[in-house]
Amino acid sequence: MEKYIITLDEGTTSARSLVTNKKGDIIAVDQMEFTQHFPQEGWVEHDAIEIWNTQRTTLIQVLNKSGISPSQIEGIGITNQRETVVVWNKESGLPIYNAIVWQDQRTADYCEKFGRKELDLIRDKTGLIINPYFSGTKVKWILDNVKGARELAKEGKLMFGTINTWLIYRLTGGKVFVTDHTNAQRTLFYNIHTNDWDDELLNLFNVPKNMLPEIKSCSEIYGETFKGLLSKNDETQFKICSSIGDQQSALFGQLCLNPGETKITYGTGCFILMNTGENKIMSTHGLLTTIGVAIGDKITYALEGSVMVAGAAVQWLRDNLRIVYNAIETEWYAGQVNDDRRIYVVPSFTGLGSPYWDSYSRGAIFGLDRGTKREHIVRATLEAIAYQANDVISAMQKDIKRPLGEIKVDGGASNNKFMMQFQADISRSKVIKPINVETTAMGAAYLAGLAVGYWENIDDIKSNYKIDFELTSKISEEESKKLIKGWNSAVQRTFGWIKEIE
């Protein structure tokens, strides 16, 4: 009887479950969106119970769709939106507040209050910067603002986790409270030199250590799902055997296994990671040092740039402006205009991420004239995603002091040929897209499979990687520099917008 791996891919706007076979083919997928809550300007929340119910539903649905018996599942892998914070009561198992999402900017003013000494401490110990993006300030906000939270924390009655921890806790019926190195490192509580929680950092944010989960590798058996997960009388139990942050999972799924190999994932945000092997490169150009993957005792590091709004900009065109009805239409609209108008959309709806880290920037459109049409704005929005990714690529090249010859791409927008060609044009690197763009799900699947011997080793996996297309720049270097100059001018004009108008 053929065996399979299930991946739970919990993203920012939806939860998905995927069934994968040994060849890396995806047999079935089920996906459900969940509610986005925006209680105030710059605030973004999710209901953690809704996330759990949505993820559980897709798990049941994907088994139903695939026609596979539960006994054919070798294990479950989990990959998740990082930095999003859930704090729940240990006794009831219920969250004490909504999950605060990685995009949330409510702690921007708090982050501004840190002095040079603290900023350097955080940078040196975590590889990150002090920014509302990361989990630490969100946990502190919940403890400071939810009635009774500090008292519960002192009594050891609260648990904190990123979404992977929350899902593992729920899937095991509250028996297992763990995280992995890739998610732990994004909290601002993790020391990348000791690869463990750091007391000095926890004291800085006034967060008790007793709230934190145990840190495990990305590929091992953490526990089994509770009986009755699929239905009341069903006794099936699945092994949960991988946990990895979504962007690191995509890096592994793209088989960027050697130092210098780089991928871009175009999702709600846009994330660029470069494998740096066992070398922790501390960026001097606004990038982050992060954990790439932890397998056994070996930890691989990566250099990362985070763009806050990518696919979310296309959702904005569709849902807010309503100038497209479907994201698929954007490629066609973008191809309808080819004049000399240089329209720039800067989609900094929740501030700017790498390499600028400006929480006070807000979105803008530049270069409008009487001849500007819907098509120009659609095209400029797609170009903006590529420009933001290119900002990170440029920073990476400065940090490693050499150009990037090729970039592997994945995520929904990598199917947009117009945008991928534009990425190749301005980045002047070869853009490679695999046939299977579900690399985030595949990374977690591979790590789960390796943990239970479904795949014997990495070489067993490499034959699964097949290329869909490769693109190189079709414009001159002079032309790409001209386009980038306009982008740089536009993005700089959005800096500090919220502060400027107060």
Side-chain angles (χ1 to χ4, degrees):
M1 200 188 317
E2 192 172 354
K3 298 285 188 176
Y4 302 89
I5 298 288
I6 287 184
T7 302
L8 306 185
D9 179 2
E10 198 292 310
T12 307
T13 56
S14 67
R16 304 190 308 152
S17 293
L18 304 92
V19 177
T20 308
N21 68 10
K22 201 161 274 193
K23 294 177 184 174
D25 300 324
I26 291 167
I27 304 303
V29 182
D30 193 70
Q31 179 169 356
M32 283 179 70
E33 291 193 356
F34 49 82
T35 312
Q36 307 293 306
H37 299 275
F38 309 102
Q40 294 185 36
E41 186 190 352
W43 291 28
V44 190
E45 296 177 0
H46 294 153
D47 180 339
I49 295 290
E50 185 186 3
I51 286 178
W52 157 240
N53 287 331
T54 304
Q55 188 67 77
R56 183 183 181 181
T57 300
T58 66
L59 170 59
I60 295 166
Q61 289 276 47
V62 83
L63 276 169
N64 192 34
K65 277 183 179 179
S66 66
I68 290 166
S69 161
S71 62
Q72 291 176 268
I73 303 303
E74 284 280 86
I76 289 178
I78 294 173
T79 183
N80 59 289
Q81 53 163 320
R82 305 167 303 169
E83 296 95 19
T84 296
V85 164
V86 187
V87 176
W88 65 96
N89 188 304
K90 189 183 287 188
E91 293 174 344
S92 69
L94 296 173
I96 63 167
Y97 189 77
N98 272 349
I100 303 182
V101 182
W102 57 273
Q103 297 163 318
D104 189 281
Q105 294 292 314
R106 76 185 66 189
T107 58
D109 289 342
Y110 168 71
C111 292
E112 291 280 305
K113 292 174 183 174
F114 283 87
R116 176 49 53 195
K117 184 182 173 186
E118 290 91 350
L119 295 175
D120 289 342
L121 173 78
I122 290 164
R123 179 77 179 141
D124 293 343
K125 284 199 168 193
T126 68
L128 309 175
I129 62 168
I130 182 70
N131 189 275
Y133 173 39
F134 303 108
S135 308
T137 64
K138 304 180 200 298
V139 181
K140 178 178 165 43
W141 187 94
I142 289 174
L143 291 176
D144 288 344
N145 290 277
V146 175
K147 190 177 179 182
R150 281 273 170 214
E151 289 70 26
L152 287 169
K154 280 176 188 169
E155 293 165 16
K157 292 180 180 177
L158 290 186
M159 302 170 107
F160 148 67
T162 43
I163 298 294
N164 61 313
T165 301
W166 170 243
L167 290 178
I168 292 169
Y169 178 83
R170 279 286 175 173
L171 284 163
T172 59
K175 288 182 180 175
V176 180
F177 183 45
V178 298
T179 190
D180 67 87
H181 288 276
T182 65
N183 277 290
Q185 191 258 339
R186 311 294 292 195
T187 59
L188 296 175
F189 305 148
Y190 177 101
N191 187 319
I192 57 168
H193 307 291
T194 63
N195 298 119
D196 204 352
W197 302 123
D198 188 279
D199 291 329
E200 191 175 7
L201 293 168
L202 287 164
N203 289 336
L204 184 64
F205 293 102
N206 194 16
V207 172
K209 197 172 189 175
N210 62 22
M211 290 176 65
L212 274 55
E214 183 185 356
I215 305 171
K216 300 273 197 178
S217 81
C218 298
S219 179
E220 63 179 276
I221 298 168
Y222 311 119
E224 292 188 329
T225 57
F226 66 86
K227 291 177 182 178
L229 173 68
L230 301 180
S231 64
K232 186 180 176 183
N233 298 317
D234 185 275
E235 299 223 336
T236 305
Q237 290 183 280
F238 302 117
K239 294 187 183 91
I240 304 168
C241 35
S242 79
S243 170
I244 185 167
D246 52 8
Q247 301 315 316
Q248 287 91 339
S249 189
L251 188 72
F252 195 82
Q254 281 278 26
L255 300 183
C256 292
L257 305 173
N258 302 307
E261 293 182 334
T262 305
K263 71 89 194 175
I264 304 178
T265 298
Y266 302 90
T268 304
C270 178
F271 299 87
I272 303 92
L273 270 75
M274 175 196 289
N275 184 324
T276 62
E278 294 178 32
N279 184 18
K280 297 185 278 283
I281 295 178
M282 304 303 276
S283 175
T284 55
H285 296 91
L287 303 182
L288 308 171
T289 306
T290 195
I291 305 288
V293 68
I295 302 177
D297 295 331
K298 186 182 177 187
I299 289 180
T300 300
Y301 296 89
L303 203 54
E304 175 177 335
S306 313
V307 172
M308 301 302 184
V309 172
V314 176
Q315 288 177 326
W316 169 73
L317 289 179
R318 183 192 69 191
D319 301 339
N320 295 51
L321 298 191
R322 299 188 180 181
I323 61 175
V324 295
Y325 293 102
N326 192 303
I328 296 167
E329 297 175 341
T330 57
E331 185 173 353
W332 182 84
Y333 276 119
Q336 298 307 300
V337 283
N338 193 23
D339 51 35
D340 60 357
R341 283 185 179 82
R342 289 166 67 192
I343 311 297
Y344 292 93
V345 172
V346 182
S348 52
F349 305 139
T350 57
L352 289 166
S354 310
Y356 307 107
W357 297 109
D358 184 349
S359 301
Y360 299 100
S361 170
R362 286 296 179 268
I365 305 176
F366 296 96
L368 299 175
D369 67 12
R370 285 287 304 276
T372 303
K373 298 185 291 189
R374 161 187 11 201
E375 291 83 350
H376 290 105
I377 293 171
V378 172
R379 180 182 177 124
T381 303
L382 295 182
E383 289 174 346
I385 298 169
Y387 279 127
Q388 290 178 105
N390 187 62
D391 287 342
V392 173
I393 291 162
S394 298
M396 280 182 175
Q397 291 175 154
K398 288 170 188 168
D399 276 332
I400 64 169
K401 299 179 174 62
R402 60 182 173 81
L404 288 180
E406 59 182 47
I407 303 159
K408 293 179 176 180
V409 297
D410 56 69
S414 67
N415 292 311
N416 188 310
K417 210 75 173 278
F418 169 85
M419 199 171 95
M420 291 304 96
Q421 182 59 58
F422 191 75
Q423 190 73 75
D425 286 343
I426 58 169
S427 303
R428 312 203 68 72
S429 302
K430 183 189 286 185
V431 169
I432 300 170
K433 177 185 161 290
I435 288 172
N436 182 357
V437 294
E438 297 285 6
T439 54
T440 302
M442 291 313 302
Y446 288 147
L447 289 162
L450 288 168
V452 293
Y454 183 73
W455 289 287
E456 286 183 29
N457 51 45
I458 300 286
D459 290 335
D460 212 9
I461 291 165
K462 285 181 179 175
S463 60
N464 291 344
Y465 193 88
K466 294 177 177 64
I467 292 172
D468 183 10
F469 62 70
E470 296 182 359
L471 300 171
T472 55
S473 183
K474 289 183 176 177
I475 64 174
S476 68
E477 190 169 357
E478 186 183 349
E479 195 174 344
S480 64
K481 282 180 178 176
K482 182 182 174 186
L483 290 168
I484 291 166
K485 182 183 178 184
W487 165 257
N488 289 340
S489 180
V491 78
Q492 284 161 19
R493 282 169 161 80
T494 72
F495 290 171
W497 174 257
I498 295 295
K499 280 187 170 179
E500 289 287 330
I501 62 172
E502 279 180 355

